[in-house]
Amino acid sequence: GAFGPSVIAVVAVLMGAYRQSKRLVPELLHDLFHLRLSVGAVVGCQHLASAALEAPVIEAQTYVTEQSIKYADETAWLWVAVTHTVAVFMVQARRNSNAAKVLLGCAYGVVVTDRHGAYNWWPDALRQFCWAHLTRDFTKIAERGQDSERIGNALLAEKDRMFAWWHRVRDGTLSRATFKVYMREVRRQVEALLIEGGAAAHPKTAKTCDNLLRHFEALWTFVSHDGVDPTNNMAEQIVRHAVILRKLSHGTHSGDGSRFIERILTVHATLRLQKRNVLDFVRQACEAALHGTAPPSLLPAKVSARFDIAA
């Protein structure tokens, strides 16, 4: 090609990590380095970077599906699955269960999600509903007045009691064993309130409460599984950068564009979680593609080393 790995990497990172458009990237490179690129050359660099990142991203996708705890979120047609060290993005044409299965693979381990029906194929005993979303649901119930107001406020009170204990567990001032004992009463109270809400006069209150009762086990997975957080904040925080990028760019317009975006977003988010340099990684991947050598890995250092030994 006309440009080497360093230029290709800079173009890719500017577009994915710093949300610059195909027309602004040439202007920025000219201002910084007096380097002249056409929009077509930028697109060419995008394709080369995408191809170079394909293998590391596929490896990361496999790794996430095999983890015992993961967090998933979706917004429009953008999906993300996150662990504490690796984040994987996918751009898909649907927001249904098939798209969720492509992202998460088979139902292995615990997954933390919102209440979107696309995840309902995952066993409730291994799924954790996000309590931040539940808080919003309970608040809506409380704002409807009459019986709904009383039920919603009582649910919010149980939520507050739960989080007060949960924060003590995280701080180390309350043991998990004691926390589990305390949570028995919270669970009983919430179940009784949801049953009452299912018979409420307001149809939206009744519908929400009935739905939560059908998936009642998914409210408490974090109690029995150590290391599971009761909220999906991790995935929601990771996806914000991508949402802003989508708003600025108005989304992708081709399959190749979607593959580049999901790969560069995966690289950017994962390396930020691991506190590694994004530009260095993309340049190394482009150099590996140029010379036909093995690309760098997105997996955590210890895991990557074990993979190499096994190979």
Side-chain angles (χ1 to χ4, degrees):
F3 302 101
S6 294
V7 173
I8 295 171
V10 169
V11 169
V13 171
L14 285 176
M15 294 179 67
Y18 295 98
R19 303 192 285 257
Q20 298 301 306
S21 70
K22 293 180 179 67
R23 297 191 180 279
L24 286 179
V25 167
E27 295 181 18
L28 183 57
L29 290 178
H30 182 261
D31 289 341
L32 291 175
F33 307 116
H34 302 289
L35 179 64
R36 295 189 179 277
L37 278 79
S38 66
V39 173
V42 169
V43 174
C45 290
Q46 172 186 321
H47 291 327
L48 291 171
S50 181
L53 296 175
E54 180 179 9
V57 169
I58 290 176
E59 183 184 41
Q61 291 169 349
T62 301
Y63 173 81
V64 168
T65 62
E66 295 173 348
Q67 298 312 293
S68 59
I69 301 172
K70 45 212 165 234
Y71 302 78
D73 195 18
E74 82 295 324
T75 170
W77 295 272
L78 182 66
W79 296 73
V80 64
V82 185
T83 70
H84 287 285
T85 55
V86 178
V88 170
F89 281 87
M90 285 188 179
V91 178
Q92 304 198 64
R94 297 289 185 270
R95 289 188 67 194
N96 57 17
S97 58
N98 289 334
K101 290 175 181 178
V102 172
L103 175 73
L104 297 170
C106 61
Y108 172 77
V110 175
V111 63
V112 182
T113 70
D114 56 23
R115 294 197 298 113
H116 183 29
Y119 304 105
N120 284 348
W121 54 277
W122 203 278
D124 284 342
L126 294 175
R127 182 181 176 190
Q128 174 61 54
F129 280 170
C130 172
W131 272 84
H133 287 81
L134 292 176
T135 299
R136 292 195 282 271
D137 290 334
F138 297 162
T139 301
K140 289 178 181 178
I141 292 174
E143 291 173 346
R144 291 174 185 142
Q146 299 180 346
D147 285 347
S148 292
E149 181 177 3
R150 178 180 54 79
I151 293 169
N153 286 332
L155 287 168
L156 288 170
E158 294 301 323
K159 179 269 301 181
D160 290 339
R161 187 159 61 137
M162 181 198 81
F163 271 109
W165 290 332
W166 172 250
H167 292 154
R168 289 186 58 195
V169 172
R170 290 194 312 179
D171 296 341
T173 59
L174 181 69
S175 69
R176 283 197 65 87
T178 303
F179 175 68
K180 289 180 180 179
V181 173
Y182 287 175
M183 286 300 297
R184 293 173 188 169
E185 179 60 22
V186 172
R187 179 171 176 150
R188 283 194 292 267
Q189 291 294 332
V190 170
E191 184 175 22
L193 288 166
L194 291 177
I195 292 172
E196 190 176 356
H202 199 292
K204 290 185 177 179
T205 295
K207 182 178 180 180
T208 298
C209 292
D210 285 340
N211 181 274
L212 290 175
L213 284 170
R214 285 196 299 272
H215 299 280
F216 192 66
E217 290 297 317
L219 275 66
W220 317 105
T221 303
F222 80 102
V223 178
S224 56
H225 289 72
D226 195 9
V228 177
D229 198 275
T231 71
N232 201 25
N233 291 343
M234 181 180 295
E236 292 193 346
Q237 290 170 0
I238 289 290
V239 83
R240 285 173 188 166
H241 169 82
V243 170
I244 296 172
L245 174 61
R246 185 184 61 198
K247 288 182 178 179
L248 293 174
S249 64
H250 303 290
T252 57
H253 304 283
S254 68
D256 288 341
S258 295
R259 299 294 79 75
F260 168 74
I261 286 298
E262 64 188 17
R263 290 168 186 171
I264 195 65
L265 288 176
T266 295
V267 169
H268 174 252
T270 296
L271 297 181
R272 286 289 184 257
L273 286 172
Q274 299 177 19
K275 302 187 186 306
R276 294 164 62 187
N277 188 283
V278 179
L279 180 60
D280 286 348
F281 181 94
V282 178
R283 185 180 66 249
Q284 291 167 15
C286 292
E287 289 174 349
L290 178 64
H291 298 295
T293 57
S297 176
L298 286 170
L299 304 189
K302 293 181 180 179
V303 176
S304 181
R306 289 201 298 271
F307 272 49
D308 292 342
I309 292 172

